Amino acid sequence: MNSFGRIFRVTIFGESHGESVGLTIDGCPAGLPLMEDDFITDTERRKGGMQKGTTPRKEEDIPIFKSGVYNKHTTGAPLTILFENKNTRSLDYEKQRAIPRPGHADFVANKKFGGYEDFRGGGHFSGRLTVSLVAAGVVAKKLLSSPLEKDTKIKITASITEIGGEADIEQGLQKAIDAKDSVGGIIECVVSGLPIGLGEPFFDSVESLLSHAVFAIPAVRGIEFGTGFPAARMFGSEHNDAIQDMEGKTKTNHAGGVVGGLTNGNPLVFRAAIKPTSSTPKEQESLNWDTGLIEQFSVKGRHDLCIALRVPVVLEAVTAIVLADLLMLEQRIPGIITN
Amino acid sequence: MNSFGRIFRVTIFGESHGESVGLTIDGCPAGLPLMEDDFITDTERRKGGMQKGTTPRKEEDIPIFKSGVYNKHTTGAPLTILFENKNTRSLDYEKQRAIPRPGHADFVANKKFGGYEDFRGGGHFSGRLTVSLVAAGVVAKKLLSSPLEKDTKIKITASITEIGGEADIEQGLQKAIDAKDSVGGIIECVVSGLPIGLGEPFFDSVESLLSHAVFAIPAVRGIEFGTGFPAARMFGSEHNDAIQDMEGKTKTNHAGGVVGGLTNGNPLVFRAAIKPTSSTPKEQESLNWDTGLIEQFSVKGRHDLCIALRVPVVLEAVTAIVLADLLMLEQRIPGIITN
Amino acid sequence: MNSFGRIFRVTIFGESHGESVGLTIDGCPAGLPLMEDDFITDTERRKGGMQKGTTPRKEEDIPIFKSGVYNKHTTGAPLTILFENKNTRSLDYEKQRAIPRPGHADFVANKKFGGYEDFRGGGHFSGRLTVSLVAAGVVAKKLLSSPLEKDTKIKITASITEIGGEADIEQGLQKAIDAKDSVGGIIECVVSGLPIGLGEPFFDSVESLLSHAVFAIPAVRGIEFGTGFPAARMFGSEHNDAIQDMEGKTKTNHAGGVVGGLTNGNPLVFRAAIKPTSSTPKEQESLNWDTGLIEQFSVKGRHDLCIALRVPVVLEAVTAIVLADLLMLEQRIPGIITN
Amino acid sequence: MNSFGRIFRVTIFGESHGESVGLTIDGCPAGLPLMEDDFITDTERRKGGMQKGTTPRKEEDIPIFKSGVYNKHTTGAPLTILFENKNTRSLDYEKQRAIPRPGHADFVANKKFGGYEDFRGGGHFSGRLTVSLVAAGVVAKKLLSSPLEKDTKIKITASITEIGGEADIEQGLQKAIDAKDSVGGIIECVVSGLPIGLGEPFFDSVESLLSHAVFAIPAVRGIEFGTGFPAARMFGSEHNDAIQDMEGKTKTNHAGGVVGGLTNGNPLVFRAAIKPTSSTPKEQESLNWDTGLIEQFSVKGRHDLCIALRVPVVLEAVTAIVLADLLMLEQRIPGIITN
């Protein structure tokens, strides 16, 4: 299924080289101000900007509202937004179809959909669809910052902590350039201002829902909360966060803001590991379906040296989607937004 | 919500010190042979056995079929199983209620449920409920090993790779004993025999569904697939797994058997990080709700030195649950099991 | 699936002649007072009382709380309730298995579940499971009457309007007795005190959700809202309900309190048609599976002359379930009930 | 929610006077041939044709595939289709906004969405969205007629049985014309060729799912299966359908092809009652919101004398949607359609 969320429910659709990609949000409250301009910052961030390493195809990524917006506000009806695909070069992909690209979904998609899949540019598997996630995130973030009860002020910030194994982004990218190869990275997301008690024990734990959404982002290979994997090497007395006051503030935050599946009022902290871009400039070997032989092969098309550079805004987006849904379930975002 | 799965749908319920814990599986095919004895191996494994470090309360954990089984086979109707709680010592918990245990859900549960939660032994947040997960896993595993098409033979194995930072279990536990503290660990799960194409791109990726289920296990702090976090430090040409034959077999398995959100026919491999048991023998500080003061405090009740020892069978269980659901969605497990 | 509801979610399970039938409610707010005694009135009403025509098997129907209740209040965790089956006579059913009872699910259940179904007394298809619906309704009704905003006071009343084609119940039943046959009836349900705006246009219209739940009651053959089928014979100017004041009160109520799929603040009114009890004392013909021949056949076991007599409380129950869920979706029932 | 279906899942969106209306189908198998021309017959039927009584606005209703179709076949990815709104006259609606139209959702929509709703032409509540249902039905029907197992041949036919209380359509419409009023009608839907065992007991009974979908069609006020409401006036021995052979063929079909919530292999038969068009030419009274006074009022805009004339194809569509989903759940439609 291409949908996520129980009340604030996002559906994404589209293919890399089809007419457009898009999304529908069902369950978005009425009255939220929403305009094209609200999307610019995040859709631009997703493009990866001027940094070396990101040379994605240039799409304008102007949101086209197809339903659910009237007089610059959400109506409460399903909100459908399209982004046109203009800058596509499908010919590149037609040529190389016989050789499934290593690290990409070409092979598995073909097996699953019997050859009917739109394979051009990865089709529905393409990172192009993250623009739909980002757009849903824009709406979710606006909900999170709409006047909630009292002085709650939720803030989501994802940032790069590591590229190509280096803490310095420039250095990590240079490594890739020097090696004529691609690199990965690690992104950390921090959310402050959350109320206590979002989530449920077991299946709908905050970690379950967030990881579900985070692994929807292509190239994510791992996720950890708070201290994460290193927690497995700590003593219990070290890892436990001592509660300090009646609001649940803890002395340390090894738990990353989630205990028993529920937010505990401290900053929510988690990290995602992003694999190196599969489309590396290096020659690789892969199978040629037509001949059944292993061939040397190098990927055509425009690609990023380091896809991780573009992930922070997508990570924020899926986080906002999860939190908007949880806040609505807890009745902390009203059904009609009024100011 | 305490349910998971689209077709093979598991609901768990119960509290640590209530009458019983249990589960309902809706959507289980008819005709699957099912008896009490089928559960022994896995419910025993969950108890953690004889290893030092596991001193859980001793429950018999005999499954009581309440519905859905007739003549030793599943009927196709909802399958409800109870496990009685006999060996409970609630008094311990009544006494220490004023001090929310560090690392436990006591504080957040109280905030979320307004004091109405059954707090005894962690109530519905207790690790006791993993027996429900294990039981669902037993049924799921039986489905996976029921004669599927051709020679498919699915095998799920989770094992401990690290305890307290040591590759040797004994050594890791001794560390905890020496320090009079608790330790965590890392569990790896490997699944062989999966067909190509389980899962969907984006929201219903295999990683999304598995991580969703895995974070339902208390104490899990991170999950990674294939090479996982270290993948973020590799070059693309290193990380890509070259396809070797028409069945999709790859030369390496950095992807851990999942590409584009879909299984690729190679072994599915992932690891979960387990935090050290929150209930450590060490004295800790926490807030006393009644007085509003920070107190020195040590946890009462019986607890494990290392909860990670008991996780492998639970990890296998949630993995089996996810895979049974995906296999049914792909029409690879029939609605009636016949031999 | 044996579950219903998005936030207030009810799952039912059990078989007529199994150990017990039961239900789990997930998503029930914490803090709702709940005791065995709360169930007596409605479980007794379901038995059909002293009226001639109802001679059901006599079960005590005492609710056994298995989880989700502590100190006589709901905890916010899944609420599981069992009702034991004591008064079963399975032998009757074993004998007649070769002949699928006309009007019952025996034949279709056998085809669907390949003979693995628990056929005794209809198994999971039995009207016995309506006790689970009634119990869920008891909880839902309590939520509806818990102090909602302002002076809202929701009241659900279902009553028999017709038995065996007669407006008088006694007369309708006498008809059945005289004919040595069974009869059906029509039940009307009226709900007052609902706020405006519950439901959604199209798929989640109030009519969609209510009819979904109402057809979960065995023996229901039709449902109509407001004027219902006769509306198809009216002129538009007759049928339209003129709005009279700013609260939406209408002059007439042909719409039965639902317009555009949403409650409009006027009483919700609908009727369900109940077929005559399938197990009639009359001899009937049916196929004998073993011989392949048509046989004369008369149903063994204890049965009602008129199952419709027992439906009102079940109709109220499913109505309450739907409304509790919709009120929670509209944030009109809080997550913690406090008085 | 504006979605329906568990595996074959339809989401509809759009407003009467917005840019477009549309739909997304998630879970549609790959390989189904699909072209614009496939939609013509049913979208034309929906317009109501040449019959007097239907004077809808004339839209071309050409499906615009936005995703999920490649090389004239479905790809297995979400299928999004738009229909443009060209022929809108919003000014009519702006003028009359102060007076909520009787029988329409104007009043309740305003209360639910706080005035943010797109009110023009009924906005998201408009019958215009039935074109999305019809389009989903076209895809579902194609699935139903794709080569299923053996000789299964499913056929869905809805037809008008009554208009304005008359069995003759012309006569019924003339009644409306003479009275300068609108009329309703009754539509019957018959499905042949269904396998035994679709559906589940209780919540997912075939009647539950179908009625859920049928009440998503605006103007439906009642639904009945088989003999329906008159069944409530029959004796059990009359109503029971005697099974005649090993395929479950019954002598009569009072059950309308559903027993115990499951299809029984006989034709599925149900009827829906359609209210008279709310927008009648007759003057009516309604409240003026601005003044708080009751006013005489007559509806502007183009409207049908009898909306029931346009319902048959919509009824077929939602029926096909439900059945496609049930057939996929029962693994009777493969994940890849190949011929």
Side-chain angles (χ1 to χ4, degrees):
Chain A
M1 279 297 172
N2 291 275
S3 300
F4 188 72
R6 280 179 63 203
I7 295 194
F8 182 83
R9 187 163 179 85
V10 177
T11 302
I12 63 174
F13 52 83
E15 289 88 25
S16 180
H17 289 217
E19 270 201 38
S20 50
V21 296
L23 68 147
T24 294
I25 302 175
D26 203 359
C28 182
L32 186 75
L34 200 65
M35 291 183 301
E36 275 184 19
D37 286 359
D38 292 324
F39 294 80
I40 293 177
T41 308
D42 277 4
T43 53
E44 284 301 312
R45 282 176 68 202
R46 181 186 157 277
K47 291 181 190 168
M50 298 299 127
Q51 282 165 310
K52 54 184 168 189
T54 55
T55 52
R57 79 191 199 202
K58 292 301 179 209
E59 292 286 1
E60 289 184 2
D61 288 345
I62 297 168
I64 303 167
F65 299 131
K66 284 292 178 184
S67 69
V69 177
Y70 180 59
N71 281 342
K72 298 187 189 312
H73 288 77
T74 57
T75 63
L79 172 62
T80 299
I81 304 174
L82 297 186
F83 294 90
E84 291 183 356
N85 292 330
K86 291 174 172 164
N87 200 349
T88 56
R89 298 192 201 156
S90 303
L91 212 57
D92 294 345
Y93 294 94
E94 306 261 5
K95 277 185 198 153
Q96 75 194 15
R97 196 185 185 189
I99 304 180
R101 295 167 300 160
H104 284 279
D106 300 350
F107 182 83
V108 291
N110 188 273
K111 288 280 184 180
K112 186 180 182 80
F113 298 117
Y116 291 107
E117 75 281 2
D118 179 352
F119 59 88
R120 299 167 303 161
H124 182 58
F125 289 78
S126 167
R128 173 71 184 139
L129 273 95
T130 56
V131 74
S132 300
L133 297 177
V134 167
V138 166
V139 178
K141 285 176 181 179
K142 291 202 75 168
L143 281 175
L144 298 184
S145 67
S146 69
L148 301 180
E149 57 192 39
K150 283 179 289 178
D151 46 3
T152 314
K153 188 99 189 170
I154 297 170
K155 199 168 153 42
I156 304 176
T157 313
S159 48
I160 296 168
T161 63
E162 205 180 283
I163 290 294
E166 309 287 336
D168 177 66
I169 297 177
E170 288 300 310
Q171 215 175 326
L173 292 177
Q174 195 57 48
K175 227 164 125 175
I177 292 165
D178 293 347
K180 291 199 170 63
D181 212 327
S182 60
V183 288
I186 292 177
I187 317 293
E188 183 172 82
C189 187
V190 178
V191 189
S192 59
L194 290 174
I196 299 174
L198 298 183
E200 300 287 335
F202 301 100
F203 294 126
D204 280 2
S205 72
V206 168
E207 300 104 315
S208 286
L209 298 173
L210 277 172
S211 65
H212 189 137
V214 166
F215 277 113
I217 306 174
V220 173
R221 305 309 295 147
I223 186 170
E224 58 180 12
F225 289 81
T227 299
F229 273 84
R233 287 148 204 152
M234 291 170 77
F235 286 119
S237 62
E238 286 177 275
H239 184 268
N240 282 344
D241 302 311
I243 299 174
Q244 298 292 296
D245 65 23
M246 302 298 265
E247 271 69 49
K249 179 139 187 47
T250 54
K251 208 168 176 177
T252 50
N253 191 14
H254 293 297
V258 196
V259 173
L262 276 55
T263 54
N264 69 0
N266 294 278
L268 175 69
V269 182
F270 64 92
R271 276 169 304 285
I274 313 299
K275 72 174 182 181
T277 316
S278 298
S279 297
T280 159
K282 267 244 163 91
E283 260 208 350
Q284 305 170 73
E285 64 180 40
S286 191
L287 183 77
N288 183 318
W289 274 337
D290 293 344
T291 64
L293 300 176
I294 309 292
E295 288 189 16
Q296 284 307 107
F297 156 89
S298 90
V299 177
K300 300 291 182 307
R302 296 148 299 178
H303 297 286
D304 298 344
L305 275 192
C306 178
I307 199 73
L309 299 178
R310 303 169 71 184
V311 169
V313 70
V314 190
L315 200 61
E316 290 179 9
V318 298
T319 303
I321 291 167
V322 169
L323 293 174
D325 195 39
L326 286 176
L327 286 160
M328 290 188 74
L329 274 164
E330 292 288 318
Q331 309 191 0
R332 285 168 180 274
I333 297 176
I336 302 170
I337 309 292
T338 48
N339 317 59
Chain B
M1 279 298 173
N2 291 275
S3 301
F4 188 72
R6 282 178 63 203
I7 294 194
F8 183 82
R9 187 162 179 85
V10 177
T11 301
I12 62 174
F13 52 82
E15 289 88 25
S16 180
H17 291 216
E19 270 202 39
S20 51
V21 297
L23 68 146
T24 295
I25 302 176
D26 204 358
C28 182
L32 186 74
L34 200 66
M35 292 182 301
E36 275 184 19
D37 285 0
D38 292 323
F39 293 81
I40 293 177
T41 308
D42 277 4
T43 53
E44 283 301 313
R45 283 176 68 201
R46 180 186 157 276
K47 291 181 189 168
M50 299 299 127
Q51 281 166 311
K52 55 184 167 189
T54 54
T55 53
R57 77 192 201 201
K58 293 299 180 209
E59 292 286 1
E60 288 184 4
D61 289 345
I62 297 168
I64 304 167
F65 299 130
K66 285 291 178 183
S67 67
V69 177
Y70 180 59
N71 281 343
K72 300 188 187 311
H73 288 78
T74 57
T75 63
L79 171 64
T80 298
I81 304 174
L82 296 186
F83 293 90
E84 290 183 357
N85 292 329
K86 291 173 172 166
N87 199 350
T88 57
R89 299 193 201 155
S90 302
L91 212 59
D92 294 345
Y93 294 93
E94 304 262 5
K95 277 186 197 152
Q96 73 194 14
R97 195 184 185 189
I99 305 180
R101 294 167 300 161
H104 284 279
D106 299 351
F107 182 84
V108 292
N110 189 273
K111 288 281 183 180
K112 186 179 182 81
F113 297 117
Y116 291 108
E117 74 281 1
D118 180 351
F119 60 88
R120 300 167 302 160
H124 182 57
F125 289 78
S126 167
R128 173 71 183 138
L129 274 95
T130 55
V131 74
S132 300
L133 297 177
V134 168
V138 166
V139 180
K141 284 176 181 178
K142 290 202 75 167
L143 280 176
L144 298 186
S145 66
S146 68
L148 300 180
E149 58 192 39
K150 283 178 291 179
D151 45 3
T152 313
K153 187 98 190 170
I154 297 171
K155 197 169 154 43
I156 304 177
T157 314
S159 49
I160 296 169
T161 64
E162 206 180 282
I163 290 295
E166 308 289 334
D168 177 65
I169 296 178
E170 288 299 311
Q171 214 175 326
L173 292 176
Q174 194 56 48
K175 228 165 125 175
I177 292 164
D178 294 346
K180 293 198 169 64
D181 212 328
S182 60
V183 288
I186 291 177
I187 317 295
E188 183 172 81
C189 188
V190 178
V191 188
S192 59
L194 289 174
I196 299 174
L198 298 183
E200 300 286 335
F202 302 100
F203 294 125
D204 281 1
S205 73
V206 168
E207 300 104 314
S208 286
L209 297 174
L210 277 172
S211 64
H212 189 136
V214 167
F215 278 114
I217 306 174
V220 173
R221 306 309 296 148
I223 187 171
E224 59 180 11
F225 289 82
T227 300
F229 273 84
R233 287 150 204 151
M234 291 169 79
F235 287 118
S237 62
E238 286 177 275
H239 185 269
N240 282 343
D241 301 313
I243 299 175
Q244 298 292 294
D245 64 24
M246 302 300 263
E247 272 68 50
K249 177 138 190 46
T250 55
K251 207 167 175 178
T252 51
N253 190 15
H254 294 297
V258 196
V259 172
L262 275 56
T263 53
N264 71 0
N266 294 278
L268 176 69
V269 181
F270 63 93
R271 275 170 305 284
I274 313 299
K275 71 174 182 181
T277 317
S278 298
S279 297
T280 158
K282 265 245 162 89
E283 260 210 350
Q284 306 170 72
E285 64 179 39
S286 190
L287 184 78
N288 183 317
W289 275 336
D290 294 343
T291 64
L293 299 175
I294 308 292
E295 288 189 15
Q296 284 307 105
F297 157 90
S298 88
V299 177
K300 301 291 184 305
R302 298 148 297 177
H303 297 286
D304 299 344
L305 276 193
C306 179
I307 198 72
L309 298 178
R310 303 169 70 185
V311 170
V313 70
V314 190
L315 200 62
E316 289 178 10
V318 299
T319 302
I321 291 167
V322 169
L323 293 174
D325 196 39
L326 286 175
L327 285 161
M328 290 189 73
L329 274 165
E330 293 287 319
Q331 310 191 359
R332 283 168 181 274
I333 297 177
I336 303 170
I337 308 292
T338 50
N339 318 59
Chain C
M1 281 298 173
N2 291 274
S3 300
F4 188 72
R6 280 179 63 201
I7 295 193
F8 183 83
R9 187 161 179 87
V10 177
T11 301
I12 62 174
F13 52 83
E15 289 87 24
S16 179
H17 290 216
E19 269 202 39
S20 52
V21 296
L23 68 147
T24 294
I25 302 176
D26 203 358
C28 182
L32 186 75
L34 199 67
M35 292 183 301
E36 275 184 18
D37 286 359
D38 293 324
F39 294 79
I40 294 176
T41 308
D42 277 4
T43 53
E44 284 301 312
R45 283 176 68 200
R46 180 185 158 278
K47 291 181 188 167
M50 300 298 128
Q51 281 166 313
K52 55 183 167 188
T54 54
T55 54
R57 78 192 199 200
K58 291 300 178 209
E59 292 286 1
E60 289 184 4
D61 288 345
I62 296 169
I64 303 167
F65 300 130
K66 285 289 177 185
S67 69
V69 177
Y70 181 59
N71 282 342
K72 299 189 188 311
H73 288 79
T74 58
T75 63
L79 172 62
T80 298
I81 304 173
L82 297 187
F83 293 90
E84 291 183 356
N85 292 328
K86 293 173 172 165
N87 200 349
T88 56
R89 298 191 202 159
S90 302
L91 212 59
D92 293 346
Y93 294 93
E94 306 260 6
K95 278 186 197 153
Q96 74 195 11
R97 196 184 185 190
I99 305 180
R101 295 167 299 162
H104 284 279
D106 300 350
F107 182 84
V108 290
N110 189 273
K111 288 280 184 179
K112 185 180 182 81
F113 298 117
Y116 291 108
E117 74 281 0
D118 180 351
F119 60 88
R120 299 166 302 161
H124 182 58
F125 289 79
S126 166
R128 173 71 183 140
L129 273 95
T130 56
V131 74
S132 300
L133 298 177
V134 168
V138 166
V139 179
K141 284 176 180 177
K142 290 202 77 168
L143 281 176
L144 299 184
S145 67
S146 68
L148 301 181
E149 58 193 37
K150 282 179 291 180
D151 46 5
T152 313
K153 187 99 191 170
I154 297 171
K155 201 170 153 38
I156 304 176
T157 314
S159 49
I160 296 168
T161 63
E162 206 179 283
I163 291 293
E166 308 288 334
D168 177 66
I169 296 177
E170 289 300 310
Q171 215 175 327
L173 292 177
Q174 196 56 50
K175 229 164 124 176
I177 292 164
D178 293 348
K180 292 198 169 61
D181 213 327
S182 60
V183 288
I186 291 176
I187 317 295
E188 183 171 82
C189 188
V190 178
V191 188
S192 59
L194 289 174
I196 300 173
L198 298 182
E200 301 287 334
F202 301 101
F203 294 126
D204 280 2
S205 72
V206 168
E207 300 105 312
S208 287
L209 297 173
L210 278 171
S211 65
H212 189 137
V214 167
F215 278 113
I217 307 172
V220 172
R221 305 309 296 149
I223 186 171
E224 59 179 11
F225 289 81
T227 300
F229 273 83
R233 287 151 203 149
M234 291 170 78
F235 286 119
S237 62
E238 286 178 276
H239 184 269
N240 283 343
D241 301 311
I243 298 174
Q244 297 291 296
D245 63 25
M246 301 299 263
E247 271 68 50
K249 174 134 191 48
T250 55
K251 209 168 175 177
T252 50
N253 190 15
H254 294 297
V258 197
V259 173
L262 276 56
T263 54
N264 70 0
N266 293 279
L268 176 68
V269 182
F270 65 91
R271 276 170 304 285
I274 313 300
K275 72 174 181 181
T277 317
S278 298
S279 296
T280 159
K282 266 245 162 90
E283 259 208 351
Q284 306 169 73
E285 65 179 41
S286 192
L287 184 77
N288 183 318
W289 275 336
D290 294 343
T291 63
L293 299 176
I294 309 292
E295 288 189 14
Q296 283 308 105
F297 157 89
S298 89
V299 178
K300 300 292 182 303
R302 297 147 299 179
H303 297 285
D304 299 343
L305 275 192
C306 178
I307 198 73
L309 298 178
R310 303 169 71 184
V311 169
V313 71
V314 190
L315 200 61
E316 290 178 10
V318 298
T319 302
I321 291 167
V322 169
L323 293 174
D325 195 40
L326 286 175
L327 286 160
M328 290 189 75
L329 274 164
E330 293 287 318
Q331 310 190 358
R332 284 167 180 274
I333 297 177
I336 303 171
I337 308 292
T338 48
N339 318 60
Chain D
M1 280 297 173
N2 291 275
S3 300
F4 188 72
R6 281 179 63 201
I7 294 193
F8 183 82
R9 188 161 179 85
V10 177
T11 301
I12 62 173
F13 52 82
E15 289 89 24
S16 178
H17 290 215
E19 268 201 39
S20 51
V21 296
L23 68 147
T24 295
I25 302 176
D26 203 358
C28 182
L32 186 74
L34 200 66
M35 293 184 300
E36 275 185 20
D37 285 359
D38 292 324
F39 294 79
I40 293 176
T41 308
D42 277 4
T43 53
E44 283 302 312
R45 283 175 68 200
R46 181 186 157 274
K47 291 181 188 168
M50 299 299 128
Q51 281 166 312
K52 56 183 167 189
T54 54
T55 52
R57 80 192 199 200
K58 291 301 178 209
E59 293 285 0
E60 287 184 3
D61 288 346
I62 297 168
I64 303 168
F65 299 130
K66 285 291 178 183
S67 69
V69 177
Y70 180 59
N71 281 343
K72 298 188 188 313
H73 288 78
T74 57
T75 63
L79 172 63
T80 298
I81 304 173
L82 297 186
F83 293 89
E84 291 183 355
N85 292 328
K86 292 174 172 164
N87 199 350
T88 57
R89 298 190 201 159
S90 302
L91 211 60
D92 294 346
Y93 293 94
E94 305 261 5
K95 279 186 195 153
Q96 74 194 13
R97 194 183 186 191
I99 304 179
R101 293 167 301 161
H104 285 279
D106 300 350
F107 181 84
V108 291
N110 189 272
K111 288 279 183 182
K112 185 179 184 81
F113 298 116
Y116 290 107
E117 75 280 2
D118 180 351
F119 59 87
R120 298 166 303 161
H124 182 59
F125 289 78
S126 167
R128 173 71 183 140
L129 272 94
T130 55
V131 74
S132 299
L133 298 177
V134 167
V138 166
V139 179
K141 285 177 181 178
K142 290 201 76 168
L143 281 176
L144 299 185
S145 66
S146 68
L148 302 180
E149 59 192 38
K150 281 178 291 178
D151 46 5
T152 313
K153 187 102 189 167
I154 297 171
K155 198 169 153 41
I156 304 176
T157 314
S159 50
I160 297 168
T161 63
E162 207 180 282
I163 290 294
E166 308 288 336
D168 177 66
I169 297 177
E170 288 299 311
Q171 215 175 326
L173 292 176
Q174 194 57 48
K175 229 164 124 176
I177 292 164
D178 294 347
K180 292 198 169 63
D181 214 327
S182 61
V183 288
I186 291 176
I187 317 295
E188 183 172 81
C189 187
V190 178
V191 189
S192 59
L194 290 174
I196 299 174
L198 299 182
E200 301 286 335
F202 301 101
F203 294 126
D204 281 1
S205 72
V206 168
E207 301 104 313
S208 286
L209 297 174
L210 278 171
S211 65
H212 189 137
V214 166
F215 278 114
I217 307 173
V220 172
R221 306 309 296 149
I223 186 171
E224 58 180 12
F225 288 81
T227 300
F229 273 83
R233 286 151 204 149
M234 291 169 78
F235 286 118
S237 62
E238 285 177 277
H239 185 268
N240 282 345
D241 301 311
I243 299 175
Q244 298 293 294
D245 63 25
M246 302 299 263
E247 271 69 49
K249 176 135 189 48
T250 55
K251 207 168 177 177
T252 51
N253 190 15
H254 293 297
V258 196
V259 172
L262 275 56
T263 53
N264 70 0
N266 293 278
L268 175 69
V269 182
F270 65 92
R271 277 169 304 284
I274 313 299
K275 73 175 182 180
T277 317
S278 297
S279 297
T280 158
K282 266 247 162 88
E283 260 208 350
Q284 304 170 73
E285 65 179 40
S286 192
L287 184 77
N288 183 317
W289 275 335
D290 294 343
T291 64
L293 299 176
I294 308 293
E295 287 189 17
Q296 284 307 107
F297 156 89
S298 91
V299 177
K300 300 292 182 305
R302 295 148 299 176
H303 297 286
D304 298 345
L305 274 192
C306 178
I307 198 73
L309 299 178
R310 302 170 70 184
V311 169
V313 71
V314 189
L315 200 62
E316 289 178 9
V318 299
T319 303
I321 291 167
V322 169
L323 294 174
D325 196 39
L326 286 175
L327 286 161
M328 289 188 74
L329 275 164
E330 293 289 317
Q331 310 190 359
R332 284 168 180 274
I333 297 177
I336 302 170
I337 307 292
T338 48
N339 318 60

